[in-house]
Amino acid sequence: MWKSQYPMAEVVPVDFAMDSLRIKQVEQQISALRTSLICAFNQLLDLKDLNTGVHSTRLAEWSMRVGQELGFEEAELQNLEVAALLHDIGKVGIPDSILRKPSRLDEEEYALMKKHPEYGWAVLRMLPGFERGALDILHHHENFDGTGYPVGLKGTEIPPVSRIVSVIDAFDAMVSSRPYRKGLPYKEAIRRLVAASGSQFDPVAVKCFLSFAQGEVMTVFAAAGTPVSTSL
Ligand SMILES: [Fe+2]
């Protein structure tokens, strides 16, 4: 009786170990593929000059910290990373004449520019594992008071990841210099974030972001090669 059981006792653990190993290998491959896709899309943004260099990486890190401090689970943090890095991927579909226009956009141009969250969603939702991140990107220009786009979601109707990206993105846009305008001093950018807390921005996300960003923003400006004297 024990003879017939012995091979079973040997075989089952070995098969189980092999299965576990294969599952782990597949998980690692999927994770590597996911990272490669994020890097490839990020490079695409660089080619279109839609990244702000050091800022984008640091701001993605800040997004993740806000998510961690707000108790996001691992899967949600992964979506947050995607949304923080690739929220403007849809701008690839916006004509350069609009993206680089040195003056204010007219009504028609602005309407086209406002399509970029939908364009980004349309691309990323095709990729397995990026469906949720695509939705978070779709809503990154919603305002907390319901006046944003594309849907006009309000308060907690807006995905939490989108609410965080909205704050970080706005801060980045305010402090970054463009060919046609100089970035705002970071203290003024912070003042504007606070002023729009509760209307444009989720107050919790603003408070959480400012709790550590204020102390670190100088390092970011220094790392980006921006003279601190012009940033204050
Ligand atoms: Fe955007």
Side-chain angles (χ1 to χ4, degrees), residues 86-106:
L86 306 179
H87 58 274
D88 276 343
I89 192 75
K91 283 187 179 172
V92 168
I94 306 295
D96 281 352
S97 58
I98 294 178
L99 286 177
R100 318 219 176 286
K101 189 176 177 185
S103 53
R104 202 179 180 84
L105 301 181
D106 66 29

Side-chain angles (χ1 to χ4, degrees), residues 26-40 128 130:
V26 170
E27 281 174 350
Q28 283 171 345
Q29 284 169 352
I30 291 172
S31 176
L33 182 60
R34 183 183 170 86
T35 305
S36 304
L37 279 169
I38 294 171
C39 288
F130 285 76

Side-chain angles (χ1 to χ4, degrees), residues 2-230:
W2 67 268
K3 272 186 180 174
S4 63
Q5 283 178 332
Y6 185 70
M8 288 289 288
E10 280 289 287
V11 168
V12 171
V14 169
D15 278 354
F16 181 75
M18 288 297 287
D19 284 348
S20 297
L21 186 63
R22 281 194 207 102
I23 289 168
K24 202 170 178 186
Q25 284 172 338
V26 170
E27 281 174 350
Q28 283 171 345
Q29 284 169 352
I30 291 172
S31 176
L33 182 60
R34 183 183 170 86
T35 305
S36 304
L37 279 169
I38 294 171
C39 288
F41 278 120
N42 213 22
Q43 285 205 329
L44 195 63
L45 283 169
D46 277 337
L47 285 176
K48 278 285 265 185
D49 202 19
L50 289 169
N51 264 341
T52 49
V54 173
H55 284 294
S56 80
T57 312
R58 183 56 63 97
L59 291 167
E61 285 173 22
W62 281 348
S63 297
M64 298 289 278
R65 278 177 63 182
V66 172
Q68 280 161 349
E69 294 204 16
L70 294 180
F72 279 23
E73 292 182 359
E74 186 54 37
E76 207 167 12
L77 285 174
Q78 285 186 6
N79 295 331
L80 180 55
E81 185 180 30
V82 170
L85 285 170
L86 306 179
H87 58 274
D88 276 343
I89 192 75
K91 283 187 179 172
V92 168
I94 306 295
D96 281 352
S97 58
I98 294 178
L99 286 177
R100 318 219 176 286
K101 189 176 177 185
S103 53
R104 202 179 180 84
L105 301 181
D106 66 29
E107 206 174 308
E108 201 178 320
E109 290 165 338
Y110 187 52
L112 192 51
M113 181 66 116
K114 283 166 71 177
K115 290 275 182 196
H116 78 270
E118 289 164 76
Y119 291 171
W121 166 77
V123 171
L124 284 183
R125 77 190 177 97
M126 317 276 277
L127 301 172
F130 285 76
E131 300 91 343
R132 182 65 240 184
L135 272 176
D136 294 327
I137 285 174
L138 177 66
H139 295 296
H140 80 275
H141 280 290
E142 304 285 1
N143 288 343
F144 201 68
D145 60 7
T147 59
Y149 61 90
V151 182
L153 296 182
K154 195 173 183 178
T156 53
E157 292 170 354
I158 306 166
V161 163
S162 312
R163 280 181 261 151
I164 294 174
V165 171
S166 169
V167 172
I168 309 286
D169 185 30
F171 182 78
D172 185 34
M174 285 192 276
V175 298
S176 298
S177 292
R178 300 280 185 263
Y180 50 90
R181 66 155 173 84
K182 211 170 121 183
L184 285 177
Y186 83 90
K187 282 182 181 171
E188 174 59 17
I190 287 170
R191 192 196 67 74
R192 291 187 187 192
L193 274 190
V194 172
S197 176
S199 52
Q200 184 176 355
F201 306 117
D202 177 354
V204 176
V206 170
K207 194 175 172 192
C208 190
F209 173 58
L210 294 183
S211 69
F212 59 83
Q214 276 174 291
E216 296 179 19
V217 80
M218 299 274 283
T219 321
V220 175
F221 278 106
T226 309
V228 172
S229 58
T230 64

